[in-house]
Amino acid sequence: MMEAHSSGLGRKRKREELNGEMKEAECFRKLPRRTLGLTEPAPFADELVAAKTLYVRVSMEEARRGTPEDRPVRVYADGIFDMFHSGHARALMQAKCLFPNTHLIVGVCSDDLTHKFKGFTVMNEDERYDAVSHCRYVDEVVRNAPWTLTPEFLSEHRIDFVAHDDIPYISAGSDDVYKHIKEAGMFAPTQRTEGISTSDIITRIVRDYDVYVRRNLQRGYTAKELNVSFINEKKYHLQEHVDKVKQKVRDVEEKSKEFVQKVEEKGIDLIQKWEEKSREFIGNFLQMFGPDGALKHMLKEGKGRMLQAISPRQSPSSSPVREERSPSPTFRLPFFTSSPFFSPPLPHHSGSHYTGKDEDD
């Protein structure tokens, strides 16, 4: 009944109504930062005291203008609400925000009617009743709601308007189960939430059946509880073991990639540092041993000093005349003194020769 269609799921959803009359942002004004949640679920209609005042239905114009606080506009929305999800909650929020003063009544069909006209449900009727009663927008829950709304039912629950999307709902041999409501001017359209529905969720589960069976086997459910044969149980366990091995291999690969990446980064750092040090070393080497290096200057300077040290000093051009030395005194031995027996030898003149005593005589 009130089930959303499936298309792409996204966080940002279309907020504006197709008829351009209302936006969801207009439903709630900005409020202080405080908790607005209710402390109790919505009551069930069959547990409430029946009203004794005369029921007079309000018109659409009166409802839009606003009604007295003690006479809210009573809006009814019905559905299956199986596996209650955000699409359901948003539809109920739209119904709640149709008018300034709204009392939202939600009808939930029983299992018998649902299985007869729509199909088997995942949640039973009690679970679905309880899920709807805990929605914050709901003021009252009608259990075992009818599939087709009758005038008696509308009068019994003092309903002013019925909220549903305006797409014709073909069911129970009718082209549109809400056709008579629309003709009576009691229909208030809402919009479906794209991307989420009960059928979509069930499709996901059926599509990935093996994944969810293995998931529940891991969580302690037995094969009997899951209606799984012995062979399939062993197959799922084997698949789970293989997946664990694959996951370990992936983890090792990831760690290996991280290790290789770190080694590459460190290698790049080392190469860069080596290049910097090598440039510094080459620069220092050239500065010391290059053509114009410090060593060459040191050698030149040392060579100059050595040449200066070993070369003789030049005599000055105007040096004074050296004085002749006085002859050294004759040194005579004591036994060479003059005596009658000794006379010093005569000097030898050229062209003459020495004659002895006999010649003189």
Side-chain angles (χ1 to χ4, degrees):
M1 301 273 278
M2 187 172 290
E3 185 176 338
H5 282 305
S6 171
S7 65
L9 180 61
R11 285 184 175 274
K12 294 183 178 179
R13 306 186 188 279
K14 190 176 180 181
R15 302 282 184 180
E16 188 175 357
E17 297 236 350
L18 294 179
N19 57 11
E21 294 181 356
M22 183 193 74
K23 290 183 179 180
E24 293 178 10
E26 298 174 356
C27 182
F28 299 102
R29 294 182 177 87
K30 289 185 178 180
L31 299 172
R33 292 182 178 274
R34 58 190 178 88
T35 303
L36 298 177
L38 303 176
T39 58
E40 294 181 359
F44 296 115
D46 52 4
E47 296 176 350
L48 298 175
V49 178
K52 297 180 179 180
T53 58
L54 182 63
Y55 165 64
V56 178
R57 186 178 157 269
V58 298
S59 65
M60 182 68 72
E61 292 75 14
E62 292 173 338
R64 287 178 176 172
R65 284 198 304 266
T67 57
E69 186 176 352
D70 58 347
R71 174 56 174 94
V73 180
R74 295 175 66 85
V75 177
Y76 178 81
D78 59 359
I80 309 302
F81 302 105
D82 190 21
M83 301 179 69
F84 192 88
H85 52 72
S86 62
H88 295 140
R90 294 172 69 84
L92 298 179
M93 180 184 70
Q94 292 180 57
K96 179 70 174 177
C97 297
L98 284 171
F99 308 108
N101 185 17
T102 303
H103 180 88
L104 181 59
I105 307 166
V106 180
V108 183
C109 298
S110 64
D111 286 344
D112 292 339
L113 280 176
T114 304
H115 297 168
K116 179 180 179 181
F117 293 110
K118 192 165 186 178
F120 193 74
T121 58
V122 177
M123 301 169 64
N124 61 45
E125 58 186 26
D126 292 327
E127 293 169 337
R128 293 184 285 113
Y129 297 154
D130 188 63
V132 172
S133 68
H134 284 82
C135 178
R136 62 182 298 182
Y137 309 111
V138 179
D139 299 303
E140 185 178 337
V141 178
V142 177
R143 293 183 283 196
N144 192 18
W147 198 261
T148 302
L149 302 179
T150 62
E152 292 78 18
F153 178 84
L154 297 174
S155 177
E156 177 186 356
H157 292 280
R158 308 165 72 85
I159 295 170
D160 295 313
F161 298 97
V162 176
H164 199 274
D165 63 82
D166 56 359
I167 300 174
Y169 193 88
I170 302 172
S171 180
S174 173
D175 294 337
D176 187 1
V177 296
Y178 297 104
K179 183 178 180 180
H180 63 290
I181 302 295
K182 295 176 181 177
E183 292 174 349
M186 298 178 63
F187 189 80
T190 59
Q191 301 302 317
R192 291 178 180 268
T193 300
E194 298 295 335
I196 184 69
S197 69
T198 301
S199 298
D200 179 54
I201 295 173
I202 294 175
T203 300
R204 298 179 205 172
I205 296 172
V206 172
R207 180 186 60 202
D208 300 323
Y209 170 78
D210 290 352
V211 174
Y212 292 110
V213 170
R214 287 162 53 188
R215 170 187 178 274
N216 281 10
L217 286 172
Q218 285 180 351
R219 299 191 174 217
Y221 289 90
T222 64
K224 185 177 181 181
E225 290 174 323
L226 297 173
N227 196 26
V228 174
S229 66
F230 176 80
I231 295 176
N232 285 336
E233 180 186 9
K234 299 303 178 186
K235 181 187 75 173
Y236 292 135
H237 284 305
L238 178 60
Q239 289 176 348
E240 186 64 29
H241 180 71
V242 171
D243 288 347
K244 287 182 179 179
V245 173
K246 289 181 179 179
Q247 186 61 42
K248 289 182 179 179
V249 173
R250 293 191 197 100
D251 294 340
V252 172
E253 289 179 352
E254 291 295 329
K255 291 180 180 179
S256 300
K257 289 179 181 178
E258 292 177 1
F259 176 76
V260 171
Q261 186 176 1
K262 289 180 180 178
V263 170
E264 289 178 352
E265 292 175 356
K266 289 184 178 179
I268 293 172
D269 293 339
L270 290 174
I271 291 173
Q272 292 176 349
K273 291 180 180 179
W274 181 84
E275 289 178 350
E276 293 174 0
K277 294 293 183 183
S278 63
R279 292 193 195 100
E280 183 180 354
F281 174 78
I282 293 171
N284 293 336
F285 182 85
L286 293 176
Q287 187 177 3
M288 177 62 70
F289 301 102
D292 298 326
L295 182 62
K296 184 175 181 180
H297 292 292
M298 291 172 62
L299 291 175
K300 284 183 178 180
E301 184 178 354
K303 182 178 180 182
R305 289 179 181 178
M306 290 176 64
L307 291 174
Q308 185 179 1
I310 64 176
S311 62
R313 294 183 181 180
Q314 295 180 357
S315 300
S317 59
S318 59
S319 58
V321 179
R322 295 177 62 183
E323 296 180 357
E324 294 183 359
R325 294 183 180 181
S326 59
S328 301
T330 304
F331 178 77
R332 298 184 179 189
L333 294 174
F335 50 84
F336 287 124
T337 59
S338 60
S339 66
F341 303 99
F342 175 77
S343 62
L346 294 176
H348 178 73
H349 296 278
S350 62
S352 65
H353 63 272
Y354 171 77
T355 59
K357 181 178 181 181
D358 293 337
E359 292 179 357
D360 290 338
D361 290 343

